[in-house]
């Protein structure tokens, strides 16, 4: 029901229903919509803290991490961090991601990738792909191998499409 889109308590009820009744992955766009005054409700926390044990992967996207529950942020395992201008957002990421406050800002389409237990985030940069592909990214520390027998570039390792 679209009427609940601005009611964080009702949105959280939907997440709790998801956790209790569906063994399906969850994608939450604009994660801050699921937090009230920077606090996560029981539904969001159930998905992030116990969902994996039930086979439920939860992916949350956010443009303003400063407005997202620290509990929810600290439960995340993978981070894809694009350019952040606001210092409050950068500070929140530095609270979670080791060394983030020492990293320079990235220009789109570059981004940082970090997962637990990596020591530091990795810079991800665009990589030119064969024209048969639309887009892609490659770990900046890994370079693609030479071409294949038919002359097409070999598939690079760690590509994110």
């Amino acid at each position: 029901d679209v009427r609940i889109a601005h009611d964080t308590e009702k949105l959280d009820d939907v997440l709790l229903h998801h956790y209790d009744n569906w063994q399906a992955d969850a994608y939450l766009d604009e994660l801050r919509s699921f937090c009230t005054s920077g606090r996560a409700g029981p539904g969001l926390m159930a998905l992030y803290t116990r969902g994996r044990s039930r086979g439920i992967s939860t992916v949350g996207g956010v443009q303003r991490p400063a407005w997202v529950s620290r509990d929810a942020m600290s439960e995340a395992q993978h981070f894809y961090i694009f350019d952040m201008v606001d210092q409050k957002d950068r500070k929140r990421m530095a609270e979670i991601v080791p060394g983030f406050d020492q990293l320079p800002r990235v220009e789109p389409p570059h981004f940082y990738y970090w997962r637990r237990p990596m020591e530091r985030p990795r810079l991800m940069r665009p990589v030119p792909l064969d024209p048969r592909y639309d887009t892609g990214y490659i770990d900046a520390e890994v370079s693609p191998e030479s071409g294949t027998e038919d002359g097409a570039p070999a598939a690079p390792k760690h590509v994110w499409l």
Side-chain angles (χ1 to χ4, degrees), residues 93-101 103 114 116 118-121:
M93 293 311 301
E95 292 173 357
I96 306 294
V97 179
F100 184 77
D101 53 344
L103 296 173
W114 181 74
R116 299 179 203 289
M118 287 171 58
E119 287 186 30
R120 60 184 176 79

Side-chain angles (χ1 to χ4, degrees), residues 98-121:
F100 184 77
D101 53 344
Q102 304 300 314
L103 296 173
R105 284 185 48 203
V106 294
E107 292 295 324
H110 295 73
F111 64 93
Y112 290 109
Y113 169 72
W114 181 74
R115 67 174 163 72
R116 299 179 203 289
M118 287 171 58
E119 287 186 30
R120 60 184 176 79

Side-chain angles (χ1 to χ4, degrees), residues 67-130:
W67 296 354
V68 174
S69 158
R70 181 171 168 75
D71 292 334
M73 294 284 288
S74 67
E75 289 295 329
Q77 293 179 327
H78 298 269
F79 289 81
Y80 302 86
I81 309 165
F82 294 83
D83 183 38
M84 283 189 283
V85 177
D86 189 283
Q87 289 303 313
K88 291 177 185 174
D89 294 327
R90 292 187 59 80
K91 182 179 177 183
R92 171 55 59 91
M93 293 311 301
E95 292 173 357
I96 306 294
V97 179
F100 184 77
D101 53 344
Q102 304 300 314
L103 296 173
R105 284 185 48 203
V106 294
E107 292 295 324
H110 295 73
F111 64 93
Y112 290 109
Y113 169 72
W114 181 74
R115 67 174 163 72
R116 299 179 203 289
M118 287 171 58
E119 287 186 30
R120 60 184 176 79
R122 291 185 178 169
L123 176 64
M124 305 298 282
R125 61 181 171 78
V127 62
L129 294 177
D130 185 278

Side-chain angles (χ1 to χ4, degrees), residues 15-16 22 25 35 44 46 50 57 60 74 78 80 93 96 110 121 138 141 149 155:
L15 298 182
L16 194 55
W22 302 331
D25 296 341
C35 298
L44 181 60
R50 299 182 308 278
S57 293
S74 67
H78 298 269
Y80 302 86
M93 293 311 301
I96 306 294
H110 295 73
I138 186 168
E141 296 175 9
E149 288 181 20

Side-chain angles (χ1 to χ4, degrees), residues 6-67:
H6 300 289
D7 186 330
T8 55
E9 288 183 25
K10 287 182 180 177
L11 285 173
D12 193 70
D13 288 344
V14 171
L15 298 182
L16 194 55
H17 180 82
H18 183 131
Y19 173 80
D20 288 336
N21 297 287
W22 302 331
Q23 190 168 352
D25 296 341
Y27 175 74
L28 310 175
D29 189 19
E30 207 48 63
L31 193 56
R32 70 183 181 94
S33 299
F34 296 86
C35 298
T36 303
S37 300
R39 309 246 348 141
L44 181 60
M45 290 313 298
L47 286 174
Y48 270 121
T49 59
R50 299 182 308 278
R52 289 184 298 270
S53 67
R54 298 187 63 194
I56 302 170
S57 293
T58 303
V59 176
V62 63
Q63 294 181 36
R64 298 298 313 269
W67 296 354

